[in-house]
Amino acid sequence: MRAMGGMFGFSSPKVVCGVVGVGSLGQHHARIYSTMSGVEFAGIFETSDARAAEICEKFKCKRFATIAELGEACDAVSVVVPTDKHAEVAIPLLEQKCHLLIEKPICASLEEAEQVLAAAQKNGCIVQVGHIEHFNPVMSFLEKEADRPAYITTERLAPYQTRGTEVGVVLDLMIHDIGIVLALVKSPIKKIDSVGINVLSKTEDIANARIEFENGCVANLSASRMSMKKNREIRVFQDNAYLSLDFMNQKGHLVKKSDLIAYGVKMKIGLAKPGDTSSVPVKEIPIEKGEPLALELADFVSSVKEAKQPKVGGALAKSALEVAITITEQIKNAKR
């Protein structure tokens, strides 16, 4: 039975969840919902008969004939369809009072994003956006240690695949790092300079953006979906530390200015010698690994049940989209 939705809490102990679209990513939403405590997994909407049968068999769930029928049965729904279909799917579900987790980016355009957020406000619904790296344990460490970044570099590489090419690499991949940088820097943007090229797609497959903030911080973001390997790394430089972290492998290292000073003192008194790298204070970061999507969905369900704002809500998602669109427009204009 569907719980009492809206922003007023729930009479039922379980949040009824569903998924629209169970492709390469949506299948994992279904997998996690099907095993979550506090969740009743109602089922899926999927246009492919073969895929729907496979997922329903694997996770013992129901296939709904229409998105509206799924929305009627659910308190909360993951929207995991191509970006250019987000608004088309999300707005009717919001009109049905469904809370939504929409995979990133929130929409393909700012106009559509505003329509989705207006529908959410009108109907008292939560919209969380799937900027999944914000739930990566690496991000938790960054939020504690990167308190005054002066220079940031990010690199996000992936092999080419046709999925996601309805948008360019900026909206497909770089937007993850845009959201991360905006959350860390917390300053208005002063200037953006971008370059990009398309190789196999109609839109850019490789892109670089230099973002200068009002507080003086500079971020240099690179993304490619033409790589032979996957890579998701960030480096943060600030006046008291250097951090290098790997989002994919959930590891990294840290060098603190205070430790370097102590090392210098050791050298002066003969406890360390020049060239003795074993004493250089590079600390491996003790990151407790976890599945970011499972953490993200747990936060979403908690936000719905407790009627609280999610960690990655519409405001951050819209800001990241605005920056991403500015970058893509600069790339298009340069080609013209």
Side-chain angles (χ1 to χ4, degrees):
M1 180 177 177
R2 180 173 173 171
M4 294 298 293
M7 296 296 287
F8 303 101
F10 288 84
S11 58
S12 169
K14 290 193 174 185
V15 178
V16 185
C17 297
V19 180
V20 177
V22 286
S24 60
L25 180 55
Q27 65 175 323
H28 295 295
H29 284 248
R31 169 179 60 83
I32 293 167
Y33 281 140
S34 70
T35 61
M36 284 179 68
S37 61
V39 166
E40 179 186 330
F41 183 42
I44 64 169
F45 173 82
E46 168 59 48
T47 57
S48 166
D49 293 340
R51 185 62 165 177
E54 176 190 350
I55 296 300
C56 288
E57 171 64 24
K58 184 180 289 186
F59 303 120
K60 309 303 178 187
C61 63
K62 176 181 177 181
R63 181 191 187 186
F64 287 83
T66 66
I67 295 174
E69 287 183 17
L70 176 69
E72 183 64 29
C74 292
D75 304 307
V77 174
S78 284
V79 176
V80 199
V81 297
T83 302
D84 53 0
K85 303 294 183 185
H86 281 186
E88 179 184 329
V89 172
I91 291 173
L93 285 169
L94 291 168
E95 295 291 347
Q96 290 182 277
K97 312 295 185 184
C98 285
H99 304 286
L100 300 183
L101 190 153
I102 304 174
E103 269 303 335
K104 63 80 204 162
I106 182 171
C107 287
S109 71
L110 284 173
E111 181 182 6
E112 288 182 340
E114 287 165 359
Q115 291 170 357
V116 167
L117 296 178
Q121 184 174 22
K122 172 189 169 186
N123 293 286
C125 293
I126 288 169
V127 169
Q128 180 168 321
V129 183
H131 285 264
I132 193 170
E133 298 289 33
H134 288 260
F135 298 91
N136 192 311
V138 166
M139 187 63 177
S140 299
F141 182 85
L142 276 170
E143 288 168 334
K144 294 175 186 175
E145 294 290 338
D147 54 353
R148 47 184 185 274
Y151 181 59
I152 301 173
T153 67
T154 70
E155 185 178 66
R156 190 166 293 262
L157 310 176
Y160 186 81
Q161 54 183 350
T162 55
R163 184 191 66 81
T165 53
E166 74 275 0
V167 295
V169 74
V170 175
L171 283 169
D172 184 23
L173 297 181
M174 186 186 285
I175 196 163
H176 283 295
D177 296 315
I178 293 170
I180 290 166
V181 167
L182 292 179
L184 293 177
V185 179
K186 299 181 180 70
S187 173
I189 291 173
K190 182 179 181 180
K191 185 181 180 183
I192 300 176
D193 292 299
S194 314
V195 63
I197 59 171
N198 54 313
V199 181
L200 296 179
S201 309
K202 294 180 180 179
T203 51
E204 79 285 346
D205 293 309
I206 301 170
N208 176 269
R210 182 184 185 276
I211 305 174
E212 184 178 346
F213 293 87
E214 294 285 356
N215 68 359
C217 181
V218 172
N220 196 308
L221 284 60
S222 296
S224 170
R225 56 187 180 196
M226 297 298 303
S227 175
M228 296 298 290
K229 64 175 184 177
K230 290 184 178 180
N231 191 44
R232 306 191 327 246
E233 293 185 353
I234 184 170
R235 294 174 180 83
V236 180
F237 303 80
Q238 53 190 42
D239 60 8
N240 66 343
Y242 160 65
L243 302 91
S244 177
L245 294 115
D246 180 340
F247 279 94
M248 187 168 67
N249 297 303
Q250 297 181 6
K251 64 180 184 178
H253 59 266
L254 165 70
V255 179
K256 285 192 172 182
K257 186 176 181 179
S258 58
D259 293 334
L260 285 171
I261 292 171
Y263 174 66
V265 171
K266 286 183 178 180
M267 287 186 63
K268 284 184 178 180
I269 63 176
L271 294 178
K273 297 179 181 179
D276 179 13
T277 57
S278 63
S279 300
V280 176
V282 178
K283 295 181 178 178
E284 293 297 317
I285 298 170
I287 294 174
E288 185 177 345
K289 295 187 177 183
E291 184 181 0
L293 182 59
L295 297 171
E296 179 180 57
L297 293 182
D299 182 78
F300 174 53
V301 170
S302 174
S303 295
V304 170
K305 196 161 189 177
E306 298 173 25
K308 65 180 182 181
Q309 288 301 311
K311 182 178 182 180
V312 184
L316 176 63
K318 185 183 172 186
S319 296
L321 177 63
E322 188 171 8
V323 173
I325 288 175
T326 298
I327 294 169
T328 56
E329 286 301 315
Q330 286 185 358
I331 291 170
K332 288 178 184 177
N333 291 336
K335 290 176 182 176
R336 294 193 191 105

